[in-house]
Amino acid sequence: MSLSAGEQIGPYRILGPLGQGGMGEVYRARDPRLERDVALKVIREEGAGSADSLSRFQRETRAVAALHHPGILAIYDTGLHGGAPYAVMELLAGETLAERLQAGALPARAASEIAARVADALADAHAHGVIHRDVKPSNIFLTEDGQTKVLDFGIARVIPPGGEGVTSDFTAGQTAGGLVGTAGYVSPEQVRGRPADARSDVFSLGGVLYEAITGRKAFSGATAAEALSAVLSQDPADYPETGRVPAELRRITLRCLEKDPANRYQSARDLALDLRAWETGALAGAAAAPLRPSRRLLRWVVGALAATLLVAAGLLVGSRAGRRFAPAAPVTRVELALDPPLAGASAERPLFAISRDGTRLAYVAFVESRTRLALRELDGLETRILSGTEDATGPFFSPDGRWVGFFAGGALKKISLLGGSPARVGGGVPPVTRGASWGPDETIVFSPANTTGLVRRSTSTGGEKRVAWPDYDRGETAFWWPEILPEANAVLFVVNRGDETFETASISALRLDGGQKKILVRGGTGPHYAPTGHLLYVRGGTILAAPFDATRLEVTGPAVPLLSGVRTEGTGAAQLALSANGTLVYLPGPSPNQAPYRLVRVERSGRAKPFAFAAGGYYGPRFSPNGKRLAFAKGAANQDVWVADLERGTVTRLTPEASEEFDPVWSPDGRRIAYSSERRALEPQILIRAGDGGGDEELLLKRETATCPQAWSADGKVLVFSEIAPETRWDIGSVEVGRGAEARSFLATPYDEAQPDFSPDGHWIAYTSNDSGRFEIYARPFPGPGGRVQISTEGGMEPVWSRDGNELFYRDGDRMMSVPARLGGELRVGQPTVLFEKPGLFALPFLEFRQYDVAPDGKSFVMIQLPDAQAPASVPILVTNWFSELERKVSAR
């Protein structure tokens, strides 16, 4: 939220900006009631979007506002503006200790006096149950009149009287693995994920004192991970400057920096007393000591770096200087416990990306029942949600790492990491894009759909042109997963031939200034180029490396396997990201999109029994009107419509061409099936075919964006569908069947409306909408006008009417819900009740189509079951200095 001079925030008038931090912007403002200037901090929208976040912010500000110590920045007031919280604080003049230290170390007594004042302030905070957890030079302010102020309790831990510690961290839910603070200053127990207490602040203040008297950080490294490992396993170095530090001040400093909290000062008050005793000479005469802490109880730390890094999960390693890699550095592997978590339950596109210089990670996060983009700065501990990225998929970085591109709401978008809202790049795109790459000439090469080639679009004008297109007559179905080779003005990509294992696919290359495509490797997906001079690709979940001449676009030797167990989606999207300096992130395990789903019949009690036919990649099952047949889509890389005879146990393909047909819907008489088709790069269509597969297809509707049939009216005259509109996202429309009529809009708003289902009398449509901030079920009269009736009360998706109209079903996560209903001129509904709650049944927030159906007698459901053994992993693995391992394995062959 950016504010301009003159704007009013509550009673305060904005005068101008003062700066910004990880949580929000700070402005100079005028309080006309007391005629004084104040500092007003407005929290960014992404940090204030939930009731839980607001509650944490209010707890923290109340706790800090209750502190009345001259060494703690005073909070005068709090409030809300446009849904975002703000805090009003005293306005300071001066500089931070970090700014003061840019000129070098301080005199010993000056450093000691500042540390003593900070210790006094912390002691007062601790006495009121507030642990700062981020004491560092930039959070210590030196005023022009000689005072010292402790700033920014934004990640404080508040311990209620007589209660356990509660993290009152306004950024909680946006920090990695529960680790908060700043690398190089956090205490060892914070690194290990243990609760921080007063002694943790003492450790951090010891680091500040060390830096103030030496001009160097006590624990540092080229990356945040290295600094954290130094905190756990290294002693502060003996620099030449340390010889000039008085011995007793060294002893005090080192006692603060003991690894074991039991060996530190047990309170900030004791530390302040010792510092002042040294200043007055009461502690003079102690023997000189080297500037190193004791090694008591440290033996168990030595050699535990790998385990330490696992606890410090979420930290990425990279070089801001853009160096390629460091062969001599050790290769490390850690679990990347992201918070908010990776939205990894099911995916068709890559879930994360690393900037080329290895300093940032962008990933698809699952936040408040929706996907959003999250950004991790590589040299910090915080994760922030990028505002305006709802429903984002397939992130990718610009070459300079300042922008992230992604797909959402039927559009290609970009967002600046310096702030602001996302911007559209050109016209609309289907929801089934297959990869994108940002080139150095400010163009993006991407695959717009399942059955298309590659297009190139300008990030400034939005203009586009074709780069390459499949030869359908030669068996090529699509070009997917492009990666631009900047130095060669060329692009790598996958040529898909309809094989879901990608054994018949090929990795190809094409110059962007013209020329024929060149096949580089047969059998593989997910191409990447490594600056070591290798083409990387994935086959059967294993990363292989082949020597590659990027200038001539030629593979010059055999491939060598490097790493197994990389999750690869049924679309061929390999879940890995690689920086130019050798940082690798990958998601291990099998893809849920390739897992052996089973169609199961689930009784109202929740008891499930598999149908007789084989496991496979099932989507969108629908009972025929008599309940004797099932229609469903099946496949991963390419889907087709199939029909199963439940009495005979046979399964027959309905759509003859191996391409993209899905979302089948039976006509009321059971003779026909409507379905979506996107074959051979044609515009999305709704086709109708006889339920037994005979006869020709009938074109019902052709649209420019994704269109999914959802339900027929009981008389068979009208079909309702969902579609993506460039400006209004998911909308609901209708079309008369067999009359050549134009489609009509039923519901189009700036929010998502989808998954419509006709009531048996044809007078109402139940649907899903998120206009309240979460997905709920509503019903509206058809064809209108009329107001809506809310069906669900605590969230829900995928509504289905019973055949008699006396019941409405929907799902709320793992819960199957039932609502009594009475049709008529006025719809009457009762309270929702839970029929059963059963994890493992396909219940993901897909708006395209519902993933279950109700049997005609209302006594059971057809659902999609994922075996427990196939539960998808959502924690990726970070590998640093991976190029060292690559070159070692390649040279060994």
Side-chain angles (χ1 to χ4, degrees), residues 257-432:
L257 294 174
E258 287 283 355
K259 308 294 186 186
D260 184 354
N263 295 332
R264 290 179 215 144
Y265 286 98
Q266 297 301 289
S267 72
R269 183 73 64 201
D270 290 343
L271 170 60
L273 290 172
D274 262 13
L275 286 170
R276 291 207 164 88
W278 172 76
E279 291 171 25
T280 60
L283 297 179
L291 194 51
R292 293 182 180 276
S294 76
R295 293 185 174 272
R296 287 176 294 175
L297 302 178
L298 282 180
R299 294 178 183 176
W300 63 276
V301 175
V302 179
L305 179 58
T308 303
L309 289 174
L310 286 173
V311 176
L315 296 174
L316 296 177
V317 182
S319 167
R320 287 196 177 275
R323 57 183 173 85
R324 289 171 61 180
F325 57 95
V331 178
T332 62
R333 284 174 167 80
V334 297
E335 287 187 337
L336 206 55
L338 299 170
D339 188 3
L342 186 72
S346 182
E348 294 184 346
R349 286 163 286 273
L351 292 164
F352 43 80
I354 297 179
S355 60
R356 180 175 174 78
D357 64 359
T359 64
R360 288 171 166 170
L361 175 78
Y363 68 96
V364 181
F366 199 64
V367 181
E368 296 177 351
S369 302
R370 299 186 74 175
T371 60
R372 291 173 168 86
L373 286 187
L375 181 74
R376 167 66 56 74
E377 295 288 347
L378 306 184
D379 57 356
L381 304 180
E382 292 185 357
T383 298
R384 63 184 175 100
I385 306 302
L386 299 182
S387 180
T389 60
E390 291 81 4
D391 304 322
T393 64
F396 56 98
F397 275 96
S398 62
D400 61 10
R402 297 179 180 179
W403 295 80
V404 172
F406 62 97
F407 298 97
L412 171 61
K413 299 182 178 182
K414 64 177 183 178
I415 184 170
S416 171
L417 300 185
L418 298 179
S421 300
R424 290 172 60 96
V425 179
V429 297
V432 286

Side-chain angles (χ1 to χ4, degrees), residues 365-603:
F366 199 64
V367 181
E368 296 177 351
S369 302
R370 299 186 74 175
T371 60
R372 291 173 168 86
L373 286 187
L375 181 74
R376 167 66 56 74
E377 295 288 347
L378 306 184
D379 57 356
L381 304 180
E382 292 185 357
T383 298
R384 63 184 175 100
I385 306 302
L386 299 182
S387 180
T389 60
E390 291 81 4
D391 304 322
T393 64
F396 56 98
F397 275 96
S398 62
D400 61 10
R402 297 179 180 179
W403 295 80
V404 172
F406 62 97
F407 298 97
L412 171 61
K413 299 182 178 182
K414 64 177 183 178
I415 184 170
S416 171
L417 300 185
L418 298 179
S421 300
R424 290 172 60 96
V425 179
V429 297
V432 286
T433 53
R434 295 291 181 255
S437 181
W438 194 318
D441 60 350
E442 294 303 309
T443 63
I444 294 172
V445 172
F446 68 100
S447 176
N450 284 352
T451 56
T452 64
L454 304 177
V455 298
R456 194 178 191 184
R457 185 175 290 184
S458 169
T459 59
S460 56
T461 67
E464 73 175 40
K465 64 179 181 178
R466 286 190 179 187
V467 173
W469 222 247
D471 188 337
Y472 300 113
D473 294 332
R474 294 189 177 185
E476 298 176 350
T477 60
F479 294 166
W480 292 352
W481 315 123
E483 177 170 283
I484 294 174
L485 298 172
E487 290 79 9
N489 191 33
V491 61
L492 303 172
F493 58 96
V494 177
V495 178
N496 181 25
R497 294 180 176 273
D499 180 4
E500 295 182 2
T501 66
F502 286 83
E503 291 183 0
T504 63
S506 59
I507 308 296
S508 298
L510 178 75
R511 296 197 185 279
L512 291 172
D513 54 6
Q516 297 295 315
K517 72 175 184 294
K518 300 178 66 173
I519 296 178
L520 306 177
V521 173
R522 295 189 184 275
T525 186
H528 291 273
Y529 175 70
T532 54
H534 293 87
L535 170 67
L536 306 179
Y537 61 97
V538 177
R539 180 187 295 160
T542 296
I543 301 177
L544 296 99
F548 181 61
D549 187 326
T551 302
R552 296 186 297 166
L553 301 182
E554 292 181 1
V555 171
T556 60
V560 174
L562 301 177
L563 179 65
S564 299
V566 177
R567 172 170 149 180
T568 308
E569 312 297 347
T571 60
Q575 298 297 355
L576 67 92
L578 182 67
S579 73
N581 64 355
T583 298
L584 170 72
V585 176
Y586 73 94
L587 193 60
S591 167
N593 291 325
Q594 291 185 310
Y597 290 165
R598 284 196 174 275
L599 290 179
V600 295
R601 187 187 292 271
V602 184
E603 299 175 358

Side-chain angles (χ1 to χ4, degrees), residues 69 72 115-125 205 268-269 272-273 276:
H69 192 277
I72 295 176
R117 292 175 183 174
V118 173
D120 284 336
L122 292 175
D124 184 78
L205 181 53
R269 183 73 64 201
L273 290 172
R276 291 207 164 88

Side-chain angles (χ1 to χ4, degrees), residues 62-347:
R62 282 197 298 267
V64 178
L67 304 177
H68 300 290
H69 192 277
I72 295 176
L73 180 70
I75 295 180
Y76 298 145
D77 190 13
T78 64
L80 286 175
H81 177 74
Y86 66 84
V88 181
M89 304 165 288
E90 64 176 311
L91 184 65
L92 301 177
E95 62 182 346
T96 66
L97 178 59
E99 293 169 331
R100 177 75 60 85
L101 291 177
Q102 290 178 0
L106 302 179
R109 289 193 179 276
S112 174
E113 178 58 29
I114 291 172
R117 292 175 183 174
V118 173
D120 284 336
L122 292 175
D124 184 78
H126 297 163
H128 289 84
V130 179
I131 311 300
H132 191 285
R133 298 199 301 174
D134 198 22
V135 178
K136 58 185 178 182
S138 59
N139 280 339
I140 297 171
F141 198 89
L142 310 177
T143 68
E144 291 180 348
D145 59 359
Q147 297 184 65
T148 301
K149 297 278 187 178
V150 179
L151 313 179
D152 200 350
F153 283 74
I155 59 173
R157 179 173 183 247
V158 179
I159 305 175
E164 294 297 324
V166 176
T167 298
S168 178
D169 175 3
F170 184 73
T171 61
Q174 300 181 22
T175 50
L179 179 60
V180 293
T182 301
Y185 300 97
V186 292
S187 65
E189 56 269 26
Q190 286 175 267
V191 176
R192 296 189 180 95
R194 298 170 184 166
D197 60 20
R199 296 170 299 178
S200 300
D201 283 351
V202 168
F203 182 94
S204 300
L205 181 53
V208 172
L209 179 56
Y210 181 99
E211 187 172 349
I213 59 180
T214 67
R216 299 172 182 259
K217 293 182 179 180
F219 306 103
S220 61
T223 66
E226 291 176 11
L228 286 174
S229 66
V231 166
L232 286 154
S233 58
Q234 297 179 21
D235 298 333
D238 271 332
Y239 298 115
E241 295 87 347
T242 62
R244 299 191 293 270
V245 178
E248 187 55 32
L249 184 57
R250 280 184 262 171
R251 186 194 65 79
I252 294 172
T253 305
L254 296 179
R255 185 177 175 187
C256 295
L257 294 174
E258 287 283 355
K259 308 294 186 186
D260 184 354
N263 295 332
R264 290 179 215 144
Y265 286 98
Q266 297 301 289
S267 72
R269 183 73 64 201
D270 290 343
L271 170 60
L273 290 172
D274 262 13
L275 286 170
R276 291 207 164 88
W278 172 76
E279 291 171 25
T280 60
L283 297 179
L291 194 51
R292 293 182 180 276
S294 76
R295 293 185 174 272
R296 287 176 294 175
L297 302 178
L298 282 180
R299 294 178 183 176
W300 63 276
V301 175
V302 179
L305 179 58
T308 303
L309 289 174
L310 286 173
V311 176
L315 296 174
L316 296 177
V317 182
S319 167
R320 287 196 177 275
R323 57 183 173 85
R324 289 171 61 180
F325 57 95
V331 178
T332 62
R333 284 174 167 80
V334 297
E335 287 187 337
L336 206 55
L338 299 170
D339 188 3
L342 186 72
S346 182

